[in-house]
Amino acid sequence: MYDIDKYVQAADVDDAVRALTADPKAVIISGGSDVLIKIREGKLAGCSLVSIHGIRELDGVKMEEDGTVVIGPCTVFSHITNNEIVRKHIPILGDAVDQAGGPQLRNIGTIGGNVCNGVTSADSASSLLTLNAVLKLCGPSGSRLVPLEEFYAGPGRTVREHDEVLTEIRITKDNYEGFGGHYIKYGKRQAMEIATLGCAVQVKLGEEKNTVEDLRLAYGVAAPTPIRCRRTEETVKGMPLTPKLADMLAEGALKEVMPRSSWRASREFRLQLVEELARRALAQAVCNAGGEIHA
Ligand SMILES: Cc1cc2nc3c(=O)[nH]c(=O)nc-3n(C[C@H](O)[C@H](O)[C@H](O)COP(=O)(O)OP(=O)(O)OC[C@H]3O[C@@H](n4cnc5c(N)ncnc54)[C@H](O)[C@@H]3O)c2cc1C
């Protein structure tokens, strides 16, 4: 049995915001794969829930006229992976969320819940960071846009106010057009495993497909929150596609991450993964962008 004090099913976003404003202790529930576990473990025992499950405006993926991809936060992982817009324009994200949990989890866990739980191991986070995703949050006094990179406030914490609902995850065309990307999740086993480390690379190549025009590198579990390696990214722009590029990326990343030891892996092992996954994700991302790393 779950110890739940009150349950409100919101009819729409305004209704959800009203219910959250009226009850400062209420918690949003979407797919419930994090929230229900916390209730059962006692961390959220006796809480009030405001359900956004089933609100149509929060579900699905669409493209705006200017090419911006807009992802509804209540879209479950399996629908993201199979969505035509995602497959065509941002396949890195569909591949990343396809590595979360097992099939049941992917049919109930939502991308909004994955972002809003604020955890560093969230499988969507590093790919969304490399896509410069922007979040739309709606609260009692209107809406605001927050870049995902500024959303994380610490382990399991975000800048979202209690009475704000994430209503859109936005990715503009200039952040996906012409890029090739790849996400690697390292876990102790293939399925039903939280990432020991996750690494995403998005790369755009020059016209001749032999230099780096733009590159984004992001990690999960390499720091208390998902992170971008901005300084390293700057150092590799314009470089030719040689092994030196992979060396610069891997060595640069090591200077920007700050993983810790946990029961899953030591800090030293995670540092080794930071380096190795950068090289592997880069090689595949370059290939997906139409190039190849030459000796
Ligand atoms: C067996 C199991 C395996 C798992 N494996 C993985 C894995 O491999 N990789 C991974 O990344 N995660 C994994 N998870 C964690 C979890 O399933 C995901 O984080 C999932 O995306 C959460 O989505 P949800 O809709 O179920 O979230 P919920 O539990 O409904 O909510 C999660 C949090 O986000 C908030 N929230 C949800 N939607 C919104 C919104 N629109 N606006 C504001 N706040 C919101 C809730 O209040 C809550 O704090 C696993 C969980 C389980 C139970």
Side-chain angles (χ1 to χ4, degrees), residues 220-261:
V221 209
T225 65
I227 53 159
R228 273 277 290 270
C229 295
R230 294 263 181 190
R231 289 196 303 276
T232 306
E233 293 174 7
E234 285 309 314
T235 62
V236 299
K237 278 183 194 163
M239 281 188 73
L241 303 181
T242 63
K244 172 96 175 126
L245 166 66
D247 291 344
M248 293 272 289
L249 197 72
E251 286 160 21
L254 280 178
K255 295 185 194 131
E256 295 196 62
V257 297
M258 41 194 156
R260 65 183 182 93
S261 293

Side-chain angles (χ1 to χ4, degrees), residues 27-37 52 73 77 99-101 105 108-114 116-117 121-124 160 164-166 185 192-194:
V27 175
I28 295 178
I29 183 167
S30 184
S33 62
D34 282 326
V35 168
L36 289 174
I37 283 177
I52 56 170
F77 291 145
Q99 296 176 54
L105 189 273
I108 192 70
T110 66
I111 190 150
N114 203 235
C116 289
N117 68 17
S121 59
D123 274 313
S124 65
R160 183 181 74 84
E164 285 182 313
V165 178
L166 170 65
K185 172 182 186 170
M192 295 303 285
E193 176 68 357
I194 297 295

